[in-house]
Amino acid sequence: MLKTVPGKTDTQAVSKQVQARQKWMTAALMVAPFLIIYLLFLIYPTLRVIQLSFTNADLNGSGRFTGLSNYIKLLHEPTFWNALLNTLYFILLTVIPNTLVGLGLALLILRLRRLKNFVLAAFFLPYVLPVSVVTSVWNWVLDSNFGLFNFLTGSTVTWFQDPVWAMPAVAFVTIWWTVGFNILLFIAGLQSISPDIYEAAALDGASGARLFWSITWPNLWPVTSLILLLQLIAQFKIFDQIYLLTTGGPFDKTLVLLLYSYREGFQQQHGGYASTIGVVLMLIILVVSAIQSKLLNRGNAA
């Protein structure tokens, strides 16, 4: 019986298949650790929280299925709407102001001829500090009795206990803490604009504000839109500063959504209801981020 000898073409095809299989295996082994961690620590907790939101589970996660009762209760709960409005108020006080302050400081730092790196490091230093250190510093600076600010200005305002000033004070601390990151992004964006464009505009007679609005701002818009989106998502998740500076007071004037979820879950032992707040917050962030991204991209395209 004669045996068929494989041709050269068949041998090359088999070799390519083996190489492709080896590449696929190598890629799978490299991706597997990230994929396992991603599934275990992000996807599974997310699905578990969504499942708990339909139950009356306690903090241990044991409870019976209750359908949409948690969502109906949440929508009729005045504390939820108060927390949502407080969160939106905090976003109003921080997102755009933080972006504008970052842009202004980045423009000033780039104009410095000396000590540029020192000034940049000084503004960025607060960003690397832990939130506990930041809140301790400002608790001392804005203390109503022996705080540095009230001592220098003669003010008697109790900044973190005053119903009117508590949220603006927390917003100010947040801007001071995080503006360094925005400055770095804006400096990177400003340095990516070619000097040739400015020189050509200057030859045409443009200067000052005309240069900024015709060249700097349009070229910087992609960075600005990115910062606005990151700021919006971060401020929706505000928790640490509020918890450490005001714990939601006075009279729930600084109660935000994540702190409300924390109270329900860890203090009231309402794990299912706290999960419902978390799911609603996630949906709000997704919807608002999608709308903002679409609006910013439209501005970029224009």
Side-chain angles (χ1 to χ4, degrees), residues 47-74 264-265 269-277 279:
L47 296 177
R48 177 64 171 156
V49 166
I50 294 174
Q51 183 258 326
L52 286 175
S53 70
F54 294 101
T55 69
N56 61 353
D58 56 14
L59 190 58
N60 293 324
S62 56
R64 60 181 177 81
F65 179 75
T66 58
L68 294 173
S69 62
N70 283 338
Y71 290 90
I72 295 172
K73 177 185 175 183
L74 185 68
E264 290 294 330
Q269 306 290 314
H270 298 155
Y273 189 64
S275 300
T276 305
I277 300 171
V279 171

Side-chain angles (χ1 to χ4, degrees), residues 130-149:
V131 65
S132 57
V133 175
V134 172
T135 53
S136 297
V137 168
W138 283 101
N139 258 326
W140 174 73
V141 172
L142 296 179
D143 186 88
S144 58
N145 295 318
F146 50 85
L148 182 63
F149 184 82

Side-chain angles (χ1 to χ4, degrees), residues 6 62-63 76-77 100 118 128 144 162 182-183 188 244 258 289 292 297:
S62 56
H76 291 84
E77 178 58 60
L100 292 177
F118 174 78
V128 301
S144 58
D162 188 279
N182 293 345
I183 292 174
L244 293 171
L258 269 187
S289 300
Q292 187 196 27
N297 287 335

Side-chain angles (χ1 to χ4, degrees), residues 76-97:
H76 291 84
E77 178 58 60
T79 308
F80 165 71
W81 294 105
N82 177 51
L84 178 59
L85 288 176
N86 287 337
T87 305
L88 295 176
Y89 181 42
F90 180 78
I91 289 172
L92 179 68
L93 291 175
T94 53
V95 172
I96 294 179

Side-chain angles (χ1 to χ4, degrees), residues 192-261:
S192 68
I193 302 174
S194 173
D196 296 339
I197 302 177
Y198 288 105
E199 292 176 4
L203 290 175
D204 291 338
S207 62
R210 181 65 184 276
L211 281 178
F212 178 81
W213 290 113
S214 299
I215 296 176
T216 305
W217 182 248
N219 285 282
L220 204 58
W221 180 247
V223 176
T224 307
S225 61
L226 173 66
I227 291 174
L228 286 171
L229 185 61
L230 294 177
Q231 286 289 319
L232 180 71
I233 296 172
Q235 308 313 351
F236 257 119
K237 298 186 294 181
I238 176 69
F239 175 80
D240 299 347
Q241 303 94 297
I242 296 284
Y243 180 76
L244 293 171
L245 290 171
T246 67
T247 61
F251 312 113
D252 286 347
K253 290 294 183 182
T254 58
L255 179 67
V256 290
L257 286 174
L258 269 187
L259 185 59
Y260 180 41
S261 176

